[in-house]
Amino acid sequence: MAVIIDGKAVAARVKARAAKEAAALAERGVTPGLAVVIVGSDPASRIYVNNKKKACQETGIYSEEYALPEGTSQGELLSLVERLNHDPKISGILVQSPLPGGLDEAALVEAIDPKKDVDAFHPYNVGKLMQGRQIFLPCTPAGVIELLNSANVEIAGKNCVVIGRSDIVGKPMAMLLMQNNGTVTICHSKTQNLAEICRGADILVSAVGKAGFVTGDMVKPGAAVIDVGMNRDENGKLCGDVAFKEAEKTAGCITPVPGGVGPMTIAMLMQNTVTAAKLQKGLC
Ligand code: NAP
């Protein structure tokens, strides 16, 4: 049976580390600050934003929330981002996705000062990541690397398979595994022989968004299986992409959903906000 990687425990350690750094900054008169912009009334987004606010309180990070109505225009959002870019209390800016239809999310992300782009979604930060010269690591993939490290999973030289090629998870995940000297294969909806490719993975990361997508027979004995997926099963219960009960019989270690990657994403956001504050004060 696989070792279950406890994402809550690892996230608590990362947040404690960020809190310690925030406290050291406070002694020098610097308080890291995060501004979260949310538009409309998507219930999942509301939960994420509340969790981020709570994590800020726990970590000693000042937070501001801008909850804007559905009909907010692109121009109003751009003005807000511009104001936050110049606000010295704010070290990091995050625009909660998804935005209501009609708003140009990419243009908003590009309007954020790259030094305040704590999600690391700005093309400047994406380019820096490609070159291995990143200021911020994208939160979810960075959280996955922390989880692998916490379980003492060696990445260097290992076959790593990432299922999913989105800008926010799959692509940066593959890049980070490669930076850690893994040999990386990226799979997507047009990949042929996906199950066979997965069976060759020492490290299998699934970021598809389909419950039960990774079945037990796709897992190599002893593999590290990281489930990024956040889905609802037929009873409305939160679940990942991996058929956990099957996969845990074969895997060497595995993340559960909930309690795996999810808590790490917020913990890494706290870390990035502290890093942003240091960067803006010339302290790193
Ligand atoms: P996304 O943008 O929808 O991307 C999904 C990816 O899965 C795409 O690259 C797609 O391939 C691929 N895919 C879909 N069907 C497939 C199939 N049958 N075979 C192989 N690949 C397939 O989703 P995302 O934003 O990356 O998120 C993925 C999942 O992670 C979601 O469940 C999301 O909720 C979750 N998530 C969790 C966290 C967290 O903190 N835990 C953070 C972010 C996202 P194509 O490119 O070919 O369409």
Side-chain angles (χ1 to χ4, degrees), residues 111-157:
I112 296 173
D113 179 342
K115 288 197 182 69
K116 295 193 175 187
D117 170 38
V118 282
D119 260 338
F121 292 165
H122 190 290
Y124 175 85
N125 286 319
V126 175
K128 287 282 227 183
L129 176 65
M130 283 285 290
Q131 295 177 335
R133 299 192 300 129
Q134 56 267 12
I135 330 173
F136 305 115
L137 290 172
C139 300
T140 302
V144 171
I145 299 291
E146 288 274 347
L147 288 173
L148 290 169
N149 289 340
S150 78
N152 295 316
V153 175
E154 177 80 37
I155 303 172

Short mmCIF file of all heavy atoms in Angstrom, two decimals, residues 111-157:
data_model
loop_
_atom_site.label_atom_id
_atom_site.label_comp_id
_atom_site.label_asym_id
_atom_site.label_seq_id
_atom_site.Cartn_x
_atom_site.Cartn_y
_atom_site.Cartn_z
N ALA A 111 -1.52 43.21 -17.14
CA ALA A 111 -1.50 44.56 -16.56
C ALA A 111 -0.86 44.57 -15.17
O ALA A 111 -0.45 45.62 -14.67
CB ALA A 111 -2.92 45.11 -16.48
N ILE A 112 -0.77 43.38 -14.55
CA ILE A 112 -0.17 43.31 -13.20
C ILE A 112 1.34 43.51 -13.31
O ILE A 112 1.98 42.94 -14.20
CB ILE A 112 -0.47 41.92 -12.55
CG1 ILE A 112 -1.99 41.76 -12.33
CG2 ILE A 112 0.29 41.74 -11.24
CD1 ILE A 112 -2.40 40.37 -11.85
N ASP A 113 1.88 44.32 -12.42
CA ASP A 113 3.34 44.48 -12.35
C ASP A 113 3.97 43.10 -12.12
O ASP A 113 3.62 42.44 -11.14
CB ASP A 113 3.67 45.44 -11.18
CG ASP A 113 5.16 45.67 -11.01
OD1 ASP A 113 5.97 44.88 -11.53
OD2 ASP A 113 5.50 46.65 -10.31
N PRO A 114 4.86 42.63 -12.98
CA PRO A 114 5.44 41.28 -12.81
C PRO A 114 6.03 41.04 -11.41
O PRO A 114 6.03 39.92 -10.93
CB PRO A 114 6.52 41.21 -13.88
CG PRO A 114 6.07 42.16 -14.93
CD PRO A 114 5.34 43.27 -14.21
N LYS A 115 6.47 42.12 -10.76
CA LYS A 115 7.04 41.96 -9.41
C LYS A 115 5.95 41.73 -8.37
O LYS A 115 6.22 41.38 -7.23
CB LYS A 115 7.86 43.19 -9.02
CG LYS A 115 9.17 43.31 -9.75
CD LYS A 115 10.08 44.29 -9.02
CE LYS A 115 11.39 44.49 -9.72
NZ LYS A 115 11.27 45.21 -11.00
N LYS A 116 4.68 41.97 -8.75
CA LYS A 116 3.56 41.72 -7.84
C LYS A 116 2.72 40.53 -8.31
O LYS A 116 1.68 40.23 -7.73
CB LYS A 116 2.67 42.97 -7.73
CG LYS A 116 3.38 44.16 -7.08
CD LYS A 116 2.42 45.28 -6.69
CE LYS A 116 3.17 46.39 -5.93
NZ LYS A 116 2.25 47.41 -5.39
N ASP A 117 3.20 39.84 -9.33
CA ASP A 117 2.44 38.75 -9.95
C ASP A 117 2.69 37.45 -9.18
O ASP A 117 3.41 36.56 -9.63
CB ASP A 117 2.89 38.63 -11.41
CG ASP A 117 2.37 37.40 -12.10
OD1 ASP A 117 1.20 37.02 -11.86
OD2 ASP A 117 3.14 36.79 -12.88
N VAL A 118 2.06 37.34 -7.99
CA VAL A 118 2.36 36.22 -7.08
C VAL A 118 1.79 34.88 -7.57
O VAL A 118 2.13 33.83 -7.03
CB VAL A 118 1.88 36.52 -5.64
CG1 VAL A 118 2.86 37.46 -4.96
CG2 VAL A 118 0.47 37.12 -5.63
N ASP A 119 0.94 34.90 -8.59
CA ASP A 119 0.49 33.66 -9.22
C ASP A 119 1.52 33.16 -10.25
O ASP A 119 1.44 32.01 -10.70
CB ASP A 119 -0.83 33.91 -9.98
CG ASP A 119 -2.05 33.45 -9.19
OD1 ASP A 119 -1.88 32.60 -8.30
OD2 ASP A 119 -3.16 33.94 -9.49
N ALA A 120 2.41 34.06 -10.67
CA ALA A 120 3.41 33.78 -11.71
C ALA A 120 2.76 33.40 -13.04
O ALA A 120 3.24 32.54 -13.76
CB ALA A 120 4.40 32.69 -11.26
N PHE A 121 1.68 34.11 -13.38
CA PHE A 121 0.98 33.87 -14.65
C PHE A 121 1.35 34.90 -15.73
O PHE A 121 1.00 34.74 -16.88
CB PHE A 121 -0.55 33.93 -14.45
CG PHE A 121 -1.12 32.81 -13.63
CD1 PHE A 121 -2.42 32.91 -13.11
CD2 PHE A 121 -0.39 31.65 -13.37
CE1 PHE A 121 -2.97 31.88 -12.36
CE2 PHE A 121 -0.95 30.61 -12.61
CZ PHE A 121 -2.23 30.74 -12.10
N HIS A 122 1.99 36.02 -15.32
CA HIS A 122 2.35 37.06 -16.29
C HIS A 122 3.37 36.49 -17.29
O HIS A 122 4.28 35.75 -16.88
CB HIS A 122 2.96 38.25 -15.53
CG HIS A 122 3.15 39.46 -16.38
ND1 HIS A 122 4.10 39.54 -17.38
CD2 HIS A 122 2.51 40.66 -16.38
CE1 HIS A 122 4.03 40.72 -17.96
NE2 HIS A 122 3.07 41.42 -17.37
N PRO A 123 3.22 36.83 -18.59
CA PRO A 123 4.16 36.29 -19.59
C PRO A 123 5.63 36.52 -19.22
O PRO A 123 6.49 35.69 -19.54
CB PRO A 123 3.79 37.04 -20.87
CG PRO A 123 2.37 37.44 -20.69
CD PRO A 123 2.17 37.66 -19.21
N TYR A 124 5.93 37.63 -18.54
CA TYR A 124 7.31 37.88 -18.11
C TYR A 124 7.78 36.77 -17.17
O TYR A 124 8.86 36.22 -17.32
CB TYR A 124 7.38 39.25 -17.40
CG TYR A 124 8.72 39.58 -16.80
CD1 TYR A 124 9.72 40.16 -17.58
CD2 TYR A 124 8.99 39.31 -15.46
CE1 TYR A 124 10.97 40.46 -17.03
CE2 TYR A 124 10.22 39.61 -14.90
CZ TYR A 124 11.20 40.19 -15.69
OH TYR A 124 12.42 40.48 -15.14
N ASN A 125 6.91 36.45 -16.19
CA ASN A 125 7.29 35.41 -15.22
C ASN A 125 7.27 34.02 -15.85
O ASN A 125 8.07 33.15 -15.47
CB ASN A 125 6.37 35.49 -14.00
CG ASN A 125 6.73 36.68 -13.13
OD1 ASN A 125 7.92 36.98 -12.93
ND2 ASN A 125 5.74 37.39 -12.63
N VAL A 126 6.38 33.81 -16.82
CA VAL A 126 6.36 32.52 -17.53
C VAL A 126 7.69 32.36 -18.30
O VAL A 126 8.31 31.30 -18.28
CB VAL A 126 5.15 32.44 -18.49
CG1 VAL A 126 5.20 31.17 -19.34
CG2 VAL A 126 3.84 32.49 -17.71
N GLY A 127 8.12 33.46 -18.93
CA GLY A 127 9.39 33.43 -19.67
C GLY A 127 10.58 33.19 -18.75
O GLY A 127 11.47 32.40 -19.06
N LYS A 128 10.55 33.84 -17.58
CA LYS A 128 11.63 33.64 -16.60
C LYS A 128 11.69 32.17 -16.18
O LYS A 128 12.77 31.60 -16.01
CB LYS A 128 11.38 34.50 -15.36
CG LYS A 128 11.61 35.97 -15.56
CD LYS A 128 13.09 36.25 -15.53
CE LYS A 128 13.43 37.43 -14.67
NZ LYS A 128 14.88 37.72 -14.73
N LEU A 129 10.51 31.57 -15.99
CA LEU A 129 10.46 30.16 -15.60
C LEU A 129 11.07 29.28 -16.69
O LEU A 129 11.84 28.36 -16.41
CB LEU A 129 9.01 29.74 -15.31
CG LEU A 129 8.77 28.27 -14.96
CD1 LEU A 129 9.45 27.90 -13.64
CD2 LEU A 129 7.28 27.96 -14.88
N MET A 130 10.74 29.60 -17.94
CA MET A 130 11.29 28.84 -19.08
C MET A 130 12.81 28.85 -19.05
O MET A 130 13.46 27.89 -19.43
CB MET A 130 10.84 29.47 -20.41
CG MET A 130 9.43 29.17 -20.80
SD MET A 130 9.23 27.50 -21.41
CE MET A 130 10.12 27.61 -22.95
N GLN A 131 13.36 30.02 -18.63
CA GLN A 131 14.82 30.18 -18.62
C GLN A 131 15.45 29.68 -17.33
O GLN A 131 16.67 29.74 -17.18
CB GLN A 131 15.18 31.66 -18.82
CG GLN A 131 14.77 32.20 -20.16
CD GLN A 131 15.06 33.68 -20.29
OE1 GLN A 131 15.14 34.41 -19.29
NE2 GLN A 131 15.24 34.14 -21.51
N GLY A 132 14.61 29.26 -16.38
CA GLY A 132 15.15 28.81 -15.09
C GLY A 132 15.64 29.96 -14.24
O GLY A 132 16.48 29.77 -13.35
N ARG A 133 15.12 31.19 -14.50
CA ARG A 133 15.57 32.37 -13.75
C ARG A 133 14.38 33.01 -13.05
O ARG A 133 14.27 34.22 -12.94
CB ARG A 133 16.22 33.38 -14.70
CG ARG A 133 17.44 32.84 -15.42
CD ARG A 133 18.22 33.92 -16.13
NE ARG A 133 17.42 34.61 -17.13
CZ ARG A 133 17.30 35.92 -17.21
NH1 ARG A 133 17.94 36.71 -16.37
NH2 ARG A 133 16.56 36.48 -18.14
N GLN A 134 13.45 32.18 -12.58
CA GLN A 134 12.18 32.69 -12.05
C GLN A 134 12.34 33.51 -10.77
O GLN A 134 13.23 33.23 -9.98
CB GLN A 134 11.22 31.52 -11.79
CG GLN A 134 11.73 30.46 -10.86
CD GLN A 134 12.41 29.31 -11.62
OE1 GLN A 134 12.70 29.41 -12.79
NE2 GLN A 134 12.69 28.22 -10.93
N ILE A 135 11.43 34.48 -10.62
CA ILE A 135 11.33 35.22 -9.37
C ILE A 135 10.33 34.48 -8.48
O ILE A 135 10.55 34.26 -7.31
CB ILE A 135 10.79 36.66 -9.55
CG1 ILE A 135 11.13 37.28 -10.90
CG2 ILE A 135 11.18 37.54 -8.40
CD1 ILE A 135 10.44 38.64 -11.11
N PHE A 136 9.19 34.16 -9.08
CA PHE A 136 8.15 33.42 -8.36
C PHE A 136 7.92 32.10 -9.07
O PHE A 136 7.96 32.03 -10.30
CB PHE A 136 6.81 34.16 -8.41
CG PHE A 136 6.85 35.55 -7.90
CD1 PHE A 136 6.62 36.61 -8.75
CD2 PHE A 136 7.14 35.81 -6.57
CE1 PHE A 136 6.65 37.91 -8.29
CE2 PHE A 136 7.18 37.10 -6.10
CZ PHE A 136 6.94 38.15 -6.95
N LEU A 137 7.65 31.07 -8.27
CA LEU A 137 7.24 29.80 -8.87
C LEU A 137 5.72 29.76 -8.90
O LEU A 137 5.07 30.17 -7.94
CB LEU A 137 7.76 28.64 -8.02
CG LEU A 137 9.27 28.44 -8.04
CD1 LEU A 137 9.68 27.39 -7.03
CD2 LEU A 137 9.72 28.02 -9.43
N PRO A 138 5.14 29.27 -10.00
CA PRO A 138 3.67 29.13 -10.01
C PRO A 138 3.21 28.22 -8.88
O PRO A 138 3.83 27.17 -8.63
CB PRO A 138 3.37 28.55 -11.39
CG PRO A 138 4.68 28.09 -11.94
CD PRO A 138 5.77 28.79 -11.21
N CYS A 139 2.16 28.65 -8.17
CA CYS A 139 1.85 28.06 -6.86
C CYS A 139 1.56 26.55 -6.88
O CYS A 139 2.13 25.81 -6.07
CB CYS A 139 0.66 28.80 -6.24
SG CYS A 139 0.99 30.54 -5.99
N THR A 140 0.69 26.10 -7.77
CA THR A 140 0.31 24.67 -7.73
C THR A 140 1.50 23.77 -8.11
O THR A 140 1.82 22.84 -7.35
CB THR A 140 -0.92 24.42 -8.63
OG1 THR A 140 -1.98 25.26 -8.16
CG2 THR A 140 -1.37 22.97 -8.58
N PRO A 141 2.18 24.02 -9.24
CA PRO A 141 3.33 23.17 -9.55
C PRO A 141 4.43 23.25 -8.47
O PRO A 141 5.04 22.23 -8.15
CB PRO A 141 3.83 23.72 -10.89
CG PRO A 141 2.66 24.43 -11.47
CD PRO A 141 1.88 24.97 -10.31
N ALA A 142 4.66 24.43 -7.93
CA ALA A 142 5.67 24.55 -6.87
C ALA A 142 5.25 23.72 -5.66
O ALA A 142 6.09 23.08 -5.00
CB ALA A 142 5.86 26.01 -6.47
N GLY A 143 3.96 23.71 -5.37
CA GLY A 143 3.45 22.90 -4.26
C GLY A 143 3.67 21.42 -4.51
O GLY A 143 4.00 20.67 -3.58
N VAL A 144 3.54 21.00 -5.75
CA VAL A 144 3.77 19.58 -6.09
C VAL A 144 5.23 19.21 -5.83
O VAL A 144 5.53 18.16 -5.26
CB VAL A 144 3.37 19.30 -7.56
CG1 VAL A 144 3.82 17.90 -7.99
CG2 VAL A 144 1.87 19.47 -7.75
N ILE A 145 6.15 20.10 -6.21
CA ILE A 145 7.58 19.82 -5.98
C ILE A 145 7.84 19.71 -4.47
O ILE A 145 8.54 18.80 -4.01
CB ILE A 145 8.48 20.92 -6.61
CG1 ILE A 145 8.27 20.99 -8.13
CG2 ILE A 145 9.96 20.71 -6.24
CD1 ILE A 145 8.79 19.82 -8.94
N GLU A 146 7.23 20.61 -3.69
CA GLU A 146 7.38 20.52 -2.21
C GLU A 146 6.88 19.17 -1.70
O GLU A 146 7.48 18.56 -0.83
CB GLU A 146 6.60 21.64 -1.52
CG GLU A 146 7.18 23.02 -1.67
CD GLU A 146 8.25 23.35 -0.60
OE1 GLU A 146 8.37 22.62 0.40
OE2 GLU A 146 8.95 24.36 -0.79
N LEU A 147 5.74 18.73 -2.23
CA LEU A 147 5.17 17.45 -1.77
C LEU A 147 6.11 16.29 -2.12
O LEU A 147 6.33 15.39 -1.29
CB LEU A 147 3.80 17.21 -2.43
CG LEU A 147 2.65 18.09 -1.93
CD1 LEU A 147 1.39 17.87 -2.76
CD2 LEU A 147 2.35 17.81 -0.46
N LEU A 148 6.66 16.32 -3.33
CA LEU A 148 7.60 15.25 -3.72
C LEU A 148 8.83 15.27 -2.81
O LEU A 148 9.28 14.23 -2.34
CB LEU A 148 8.01 15.42 -5.19
CG LEU A 148 6.91 15.13 -6.23
CD1 LEU A 148 7.35 15.57 -7.62
CD2 LEU A 148 6.54 13.65 -6.24
N ASN A 149 9.34 16.47 -2.54
CA ASN A 149 10.50 16.58 -1.64
C ASN A 149 10.17 16.06 -0.25
O ASN A 149 10.97 15.36 0.38
CB ASN A 149 10.98 18.03 -1.54
CG ASN A 149 11.64 18.50 -2.83
OD1 ASN A 149 12.06 17.69 -3.65
ND2 ASN A 149 11.70 19.80 -3.03
N SER A 150 8.96 16.39 0.22
CA SER A 150 8.58 15.97 1.58
C SER A 150 8.52 14.45 1.70
O SER A 150 8.74 13.90 2.76
CB SER A 150 7.22 16.57 1.97
OG SER A 150 6.18 15.84 1.36
N ALA A 151 8.21 13.80 0.57
CA ALA A 151 8.13 12.33 0.59
C ALA A 151 9.46 11.69 0.15
O ALA A 151 9.50 10.48 -0.10
CB ALA A 151 7.00 11.87 -0.32
N ASN A 152 10.50 12.53 0.06
CA ASN A 152 11.83 12.06 -0.37
C ASN A 152 11.81 11.34 -1.72
O ASN A 152 12.51 10.36 -1.92
CB ASN A 152 12.44 11.12 0.68
CG ASN A 152 12.71 11.85 1.97
OD1 ASN A 152 13.23 12.97 1.95
ND2 ASN A 152 12.33 11.25 3.09
N VAL A 153 10.99 11.85 -2.61
CA VAL A 153 10.94 11.28 -3.97
C VAL A 153 12.03 11.96 -4.79
O VAL A 153 12.04 13.18 -4.94
CB VAL A 153 9.56 11.51 -4.63
CG1 VAL A 153 9.57 11.03 -6.08
CG2 VAL A 153 8.47 10.82 -3.83
N GLU A 154 12.94 11.16 -5.30
CA GLU A 154 14.02 11.67 -6.15
C GLU A 154 13.42 12.01 -7.52
O GLU A 154 12.71 11.18 -8.11
CB GLU A 154 15.06 10.54 -6.27
CG GLU A 154 16.22 10.81 -7.16
CD GLU A 154 17.29 11.66 -6.47
OE1 GLU A 154 17.51 11.46 -5.26
OE2 GLU A 154 17.89 12.49 -7.16
N ILE A 155 13.68 13.22 -8.02
CA ILE A 155 13.15 13.59 -9.34
C ILE A 155 14.22 13.39 -10.42
O ILE A 155 13.93 12.94 -11.53
CB ILE A 155 12.65 15.06 -9.34
CG1 ILE A 155 11.58 15.27 -8.25
CG2 ILE A 155 12.10 15.46 -10.71
CD1 ILE A 155 11.14 16.71 -8.03
N ALA A 156 15.47 13.72 -10.06
CA ALA A 156 16.56 13.67 -11.04
C ALA A 156 16.64 12.29 -11.70
O ALA A 156 16.67 11.27 -11.02
CB ALA A 156 17.88 14.01 -10.36
N GLY A 157 16.64 12.32 -13.03
CA GLY A 157 16.81 11.09 -13.80
C GLY A 157 15.57 10.22 -13.90
O GLY A 157 15.59 9.19 -14.59
#
